[in-house]
Amino acid sequence: MSDCSGLLTPEKEPVPLKSIDVQLEVRDHVATVVSTLSYQNKEDKPLEAVFVFPLPGDAAVCHFSAEVGQTHIVAEVKEKQQAREEYDDALSSGQQAFLLEESVQSPDIFSLSVGSLPPGESASIRLEYVTELAVQADDGLRFCLPAVLNPHYQPQGSEGTSAQVTSVPASLVPYSLSFSVQVSSPRPVSKVESSCSLEPLQYLNTDQTQASVKLAAGHKFDRDIELLIYYKDAHQPTAVVEAGQASAKTGTLMGDPVVMLSLYPEFSNPVTSSLGSHGEFVFLLDRSGSMDFPLYCESHQSRIASARDTLLLLLKSLPMGCYFNIYSFGHTYEHIFPKSVKYSRKTLKQAVKKVEVMDANLGGTEILEPLQHIYRQPCIPKKPRQLFVFTDGEVSSTKAILDEVKKNADSHRCFSFGIGEGASSALVNGMAREGGGHAQFITGTERMQPKVMQSLRFALQPLVADISVTWDLPKGVSATILSPPITAIFQGQRSLIYAQLTGKSSEAAQGCFTMNYTVAGHPCQNQLRFSLQPAEETRQDTDQKDLPHTRFTVHRLAALTQIRSLEMEEMNNSEQYTRIKTKLVNLSVQSGVGSIFTAFVAVGKSDGKVVQGPLIYREDPNYLPLLRGGLLGLFKESTPNVFRRAYLSLRKRTRTHGSTIKKKLTSAFSGTAFSFRNDQSASPQSSGENGATESPKPPRDPLLQLVSLQEASGCWLLGPALAAALGKTTEEVAKTKPASSKTKVWATILALIWLHGFKMDAKQEWELLAMKATSWLCDKRAVWITECVEAGNELLGCNVQKDELGL
């Protein structure tokens, strides 16, 4: 990103981006995205525009082309320095040129340079990428089209620039968006949901394996578009064989067929019955200023408040005998205990007390230092470490963080959570991938608790060991696995494996993939048989770039897995650097997939015309690197939540650009409900200051109220607080207690009946702590349990049977 000089002239500033058209094609578990960006130069001189935008961190950019007037230019992947030189040479000679490159700091940021666009001319940019779709807690496949690029926090004292940009309020977004989706799968498509309004789902065949849907008219691209796709029989393992590129050399990645295996390992009953694995649980919570944002636009609950509730639920659900600790971070970090402590009534009470007062007041988003501190703590023997990371932001040191997680992967599993729109997919997905865990994203109106509890179930599963894979293939055919070695397997979690197939086979030939491993000492095996013949629609070449089935989606995702693995390798000296860079550049150019060492460059040379006049540099005003004159006044007219987001995002610039911005912010926001404080967060003022009043806190969720009263052992205590949570008086609860029953047993049974009778829709959230309560009751071997269940049903107006409670 260049300096912001020249961006502070609102009277004449152009809006080069006019429209965005996005076509999404989903095949089973992977997606191909085609985005067309239309620009127009309204200046009276040639224009160079830079458009910085986010993509999923696990996306493989595989095509980039442009149309300027009647000229069609297709970009080539080249070594990055060579591409930049060709772009600069083209500009200096007056030719149209385009450059697309990935940020070295984070693989989910790209910058597109549109060079020498003549006065009055329009340009249409076409960008294609392919990506895997993550499986959510409810078996939905998640696709997210990012709308905004959150500021990437630059650690204090660090060198280099970061793409510090922010979004414009919806009322100021000047361009249109069209978004259409086509879905196909071997299994029927059951439904498609979104955080935005969709037109009705249209099935394209009678067996409902193909469907299409569009974004409803009137959508303003002011937030991420999240899509959730659901298949029937979602856990059925599948295999997709894709033919090689006819023009590529046999024996190369692009020249040979590639198979993508989708596996859902299933553990045997003896294994699943031992899910109470006692480990060490470390929670790392983001307390940067942006965690004070609402969870979603209309929400009265902030991200930090939701995170506090989620931490409470996690703490109550931990098994007896485990160890735990809680860290929080901003530009500094804190921890509740000097080292992980044994889970007990005393330590749980201490932790809950500290969590309840945690606020979004620690400034920036520096994860690396607390992460390194956690890894320096010695592991507890026979207590496998499980790390839970919660963050809503972006960081400028993504690669350093992922390197740290990878370096310590043998000592822990990492479960990561991206909170709110704009959370870095490169960071969240990367930490889970390198740490052998699972990633989740919480956006829109979703509750954080169900997704986090699913990850806790994964963490409670015993570690998988002795993983090995074998192939049973016809004579003359071999398979080379392109994916990194499998290091983590969870019950109910999908794994995608890519392999290159060499040799020839008959049309009827089949292959078999077998994965063996042990879980808690029990041997397990998963097997998948598949046809070696490529699907008919993949037997094409890539010269016809407009056809969706010619994009070699599987090949390019396989190439991306290799590229990302190479990028994570150590480059401690010039020899290692040169070796890895050469391999990366060759693989990137061969597959057409971008990397940190390559870029897409397109130069228009067809008509030989030279664009006349001095070049004007413009950053796309929809993605602002700093304050633009007159814009702060417009923010005051925006909705409170957009205003809040704009305010806090702009405040982050003060660490980089100093007192000038602080003065402008103080002036622009005077008389509003927001104050400019010396801490690193923004929040509404207290009552009486500038006439603003603090919003009353919403009443606590009854479920969380009940959860907060549970003891570490799993039981509940009888008292006024429990009675209030159940909606009864203390007298009613005491009077109906069977005479022979102990008070703790009676209280615990009442809590379980209430959960089963009134909160079955949230069972994913409380199931683990209910299991702990049931286990506590069974240990008591109380003969009066049946009597208590009958009395509890009568008191609460329920009809829950004893066996439903696990008793």
Side-chain angles (χ1 to χ4, degrees):
M1 300 290 292
S2 78
D3 189 80
C4 61
S5 58
L7 293 176
L8 302 178
T9 310
E11 300 83 13
K12 197 179 175 183
E13 197 155 294
V15 181
L17 182 60
K18 301 301 294 181
S19 67
I20 302 177
D21 176 77
V22 179
Q23 299 175 34
L24 170 66
E25 181 192 338
V26 177
R27 287 180 55 206
D28 206 13
H29 288 82
V30 299
T32 301
V33 185
V34 181
S35 299
T36 304
L37 312 173
S38 297
Y39 289 85
Q40 184 178 17
N41 180 11
K42 292 187 177 182
E43 296 277 0
D44 56 2
K45 297 180 179 64
L47 172 73
E48 179 185 14
V50 174
F51 180 45
V52 177
F53 58 98
L55 288 179
D58 49 2
V61 177
C62 55
H63 176 75
F64 170 46
S65 61
E67 287 189 12
V68 181
Q70 301 300 313
T71 304
H72 182 71
I73 312 169
V74 178
E76 297 178 71
V77 179
K78 296 190 176 182
E79 191 275 329
K80 185 172 283 188
Q81 187 57 38
Q82 180 187 349
R84 288 174 174 171
E85 289 173 1
E86 289 188 16
Y87 176 77
D88 290 339
D89 289 345
L91 293 193
S92 63
S93 61
Q95 295 171 309
Q96 285 104 19
F98 302 84
L99 180 69
L100 177 71
E101 54 185 323
E102 175 186 314
S103 166
V104 175
Q105 296 168 332
S106 184
D108 58 351
I109 308 175
F110 285 77
S111 65
L112 170 61
S113 299
V114 182
S116 289
L117 193 59
E121 187 66 88
S122 296
S124 179
I125 312 298
R126 180 185 172 108
L127 176 71
E128 298 184 18
Y129 65 89
V130 293
T131 184
E132 297 176 358
L133 298 181
V135 180
Q136 301 303 290
D138 59 356
D139 296 333
L141 297 176
R142 178 183 184 268
F143 170 79
C144 181
L145 182 68
V148 299
L149 180 59
N150 276 4
H152 277 229
Y153 178 70
Q154 190 76 15
Q156 294 176 342
S158 63
E159 296 181 356
T161 59
S162 64
Q164 296 201 354
V165 291
T166 187
S167 63
V168 170
S171 60
L172 304 181
V173 174
Y175 53 82
S176 61
L177 168 73
S178 60
F179 180 67
S180 59
V181 185
Q182 283 204 333
V183 183
S184 62
S185 170
R187 300 174 296 280
V189 181
S190 60
K191 61 180 177 177
V192 177
E193 296 179 344
S194 176
S195 56
C196 307
S197 298
L198 298 175
E199 293 183 1
L201 184 68
Q202 302 289 325
Y203 288 106
L204 306 180
N205 57 4
T206 55
D207 58 5
Q208 299 185 344
T209 57
Q210 297 180 16
S212 66
V213 70
K214 292 182 179 180
L215 195 65
H219 174 76
K220 289 189 175 181
F221 201 14
D222 60 329
R223 61 188 184 276
D224 293 358
I225 297 176
E226 184 184 53
L227 209 66
L228 293 171
I229 300 164
Y230 297 86
Y231 299 134
K232 294 179 181 176
D233 303 321
H235 288 267
Q236 187 76 20
T238 59
V240 175
V241 179
E242 187 175 76
Q245 186 175 354
S247 58
K249 184 178 178 182
T250 302
T252 63
L253 170 62
M254 297 305 294
D256 288 339
V258 170
V259 59
M260 178 183 71
L261 306 173
S262 173
L263 298 175
Y264 283 92
E266 296 291 332
F267 298 164
S268 59
N269 287 333
V271 173
T272 54
S273 64
S274 61
L275 294 186
S277 174
H278 298 168
E280 177 195 10
F281 297 87
V282 181
F283 305 103
L284 180 59
L285 176 64
D286 189 341
R287 288 174 58 191
S288 61
S290 57
M291 285 290 285
D292 203 30
F293 287 170
L295 197 57
Y296 54 92
C297 283
E298 293 78 24
S299 175
H300 295 292
Q301 187 179 43
S302 66
R303 295 172 181 177
I304 189 67
S306 180
R308 285 196 301 261
D309 290 345
T310 303
L311 265 180
L312 171 67
L313 193 61
L314 281 166
L315 290 172
K316 297 290 184 175
S317 301
L318 292 179
M320 293 297 290
C322 75
Y323 283 71
F324 77 104
N325 202 354
I326 300 173
Y327 287 71
S328 55
F329 66 91
H331 68 271
T332 61
Y333 71 92
E334 300 175 357
H335 44 74
I336 291 181
F337 304 107
K339 62 180 182 179
S340 292
V341 295
K342 193 168 185 178
Y343 184 77
S344 67
R345 181 180 182 182
K346 179 181 177 181
T347 56
L348 175 62
K349 186 176 180 179
Q350 288 178 276
V352 169
K353 187 176 180 180
K354 291 287 184 68
V355 167
E356 286 177 343
V357 296
M358 284 184 174
D359 205 354
N361 56 1
L362 291 186
T365 312
E366 293 191 27
I367 303 179
L368 186 58
E369 193 175 349
L371 200 61
Q372 291 171 331
H373 184 273
I374 291 169
Y375 291 146
R376 285 198 297 268
Q377 306 306 306
C379 291
I380 303 169
K382 297 183 180 180
K383 303 288 182 184
R385 179 173 288 167
Q386 319 285 345
L387 174 64
F388 285 65
V389 181
F390 300 84
T391 183
D392 75 335
E394 304 273 2
V395 295
S396 62
S397 54
T398 301
K399 187 179 185 304
I401 293 168
L402 299 188
D403 284 342
E404 193 69 24
V405 176
K406 182 180 180 180
K407 187 168 68 176
N408 293 276
D410 290 342
S411 65
H412 80 303
R413 292 190 290 191
C414 182
F415 299 85
S416 52
F417 305 90
I419 305 170
E421 296 164 358
S424 171
S425 59
L427 179 70
V428 175
N429 285 327
M431 291 187 76
R433 181 183 64 249
E434 300 301 336
H438 188 66
Q440 301 267 25
F441 289 86
I442 300 97
T443 60
T445 59
E446 292 178 317
R447 283 173 59 84
M448 192 184 303
Q449 289 85 353
K451 293 193 171 187
V452 174
M453 295 310 294
Q454 186 205 34
S455 291
L456 179 58
R457 287 184 183 86
F458 286 159
L460 289 171
Q461 292 178 17
L463 290 174
V464 172
D466 305 322
I467 302 173
S468 64
V469 298
T470 56
W471 296 81
D472 184 8
L473 300 169
K475 187 176 181 180
V477 179
S478 61
T480 302
I481 294 182
L482 305 173
S483 307
I486 299 173
T487 57
I489 298 175
F490 301 109
Q491 171 87 6
Q493 183 189 22
R494 182 207 65 188
S495 298
L496 289 181
I497 299 168
Y498 300 93
Q500 180 179 343
L501 301 175
T502 55
K504 292 186 177 181
S505 61
S506 65
E507 290 191 6
Q510 283 197 332
C512 180
F513 174 86
T514 304
M515 182 165 59
N516 293 288
Y517 49 93
T518 59
V519 187
H522 297 271
C524 298
Q525 184 182 90
N526 293 114
Q527 201 170 75
L528 175 61
R529 296 187 178 276
F530 59 95
S531 171
L532 291 176
Q533 289 305 302
E536 190 65 34
E537 65 267 22
T538 71
R539 300 177 188 178
Q540 303 281 342
D541 205 350
T542 54
D543 295 333
Q544 310 173 62
K545 292 189 181 296
D546 290 335
L547 299 179
H549 55 258
T550 63
R551 296 192 185 109
F552 291 89
T553 304
V554 174
H555 279 74
R556 281 168 171 149
L557 286 172
L560 181 67
T561 62
Q562 290 192 299
I563 287 171
R564 292 290 181 249
S565 294
L566 286 169
E567 288 174 347
M568 292 299 294
E569 285 192 20
E570 296 289 338
M571 291 182 262
N572 297 323
N573 54 55
S574 58
E575 183 179 343
Q576 287 178 323
Y577 179 87
T578 301
R579 176 180 59 82
I580 293 172
K581 179 180 178 181
T582 301
K583 289 178 68 175
L584 263 171
V585 170
N586 290 339
L587 179 58
S588 180
V589 171
Q590 179 199 146
S591 63
V593 174
S595 72
I596 58 172
F597 289 123
T598 55
F600 287 84
V601 62
V603 178
K605 301 178 181 179
S606 57
D607 57 9
K609 293 181 181 178
V610 175
V611 180
Q612 302 294 328
L615 194 63
I616 297 176
Y617 176 82
R618 288 285 187 264
E619 302 232 6
D620 191 306
N622 305 309
Y623 290 86
L624 302 170
L626 197 56
L627 299 180
R628 288 176 53 224
L631 192 56
L632 286 175
L634 292 173
F635 280 143
K636 294 181 182 180
E637 308 299 326
S638 305
T639 62
N641 287 322
V642 172
F643 175 52
R644 180 185 187 83
R645 180 184 304 174
Y647 176 88
L648 185 55
S649 188
L650 289 169
R651 278 199 68 264
K652 289 188 176 181
R653 306 302 178 279
T654 59
R655 285 189 296 273
T656 308
H657 299 283
S659 60
T660 301
I661 303 176
K662 183 171 181 178
K663 290 177 183 178
K664 291 183 179 181
L665 281 168
T666 304
S667 173
F669 287 94
S670 62
T672 72
F674 290 79
S675 63
F676 194 90
R677 306 181 310 188
N678 288 326
D679 64 11
Q680 301 296 326
S681 64
S683 60
Q685 295 175 350
S686 302
S687 177
E689 188 176 345
N690 288 335
T693 57
E694 192 175 78
S695 301
K697 291 184 179 180
R700 192 169 197 180
D701 184 331
L703 172 59
L704 292 172
Q705 180 64 27
L706 185 71
V707 167
S708 69
L709 299 172
Q710 189 184 30
E711 295 287 294
S713 61
C715 72
W716 274 266
L717 303 180
L718 200 61
L722 177 64
L726 298 173
K728 300 295 177 182
T729 65
T730 306
E731 292 75 17
E732 287 175 314
V733 173
K735 189 169 74 172
T736 52
K737 182 183 82 68
S740 58
S741 171
K742 299 289 187 181
T743 57
K744 287 185 182 180
V745 172
W746 171 237
T748 304
I749 288 177
L750 282 178
L752 288 175
I753 291 174
W754 188 89
L755 290 171
H756 283 82
F758 298 106
K759 290 295 177 180
M760 284 302 291
D761 59 334
K763 187 178 180 180
Q764 277 190 322
E765 301 179 34
W766 53 259
E767 188 174 23
L768 288 176
L769 61 88
M771 288 171 60
K772 190 160 68 166
T774 300
S775 177
W776 180 87
L777 284 169
C778 290
D779 286 344
K780 299 302 173 186
R781 302 185 181 184
V783 295
W784 52 83
I785 283 180
T786 301
E787 188 179 357
C788 286
V789 172
E790 292 174 355
N793 276 317
E794 184 175 349
L795 172 65
L796 299 176
C798 297
N799 186 28
V800 179
Q801 302 303 308
K802 189 171 72 169
D803 58 345
E804 293 178 58
L805 303 179
L807 300 172

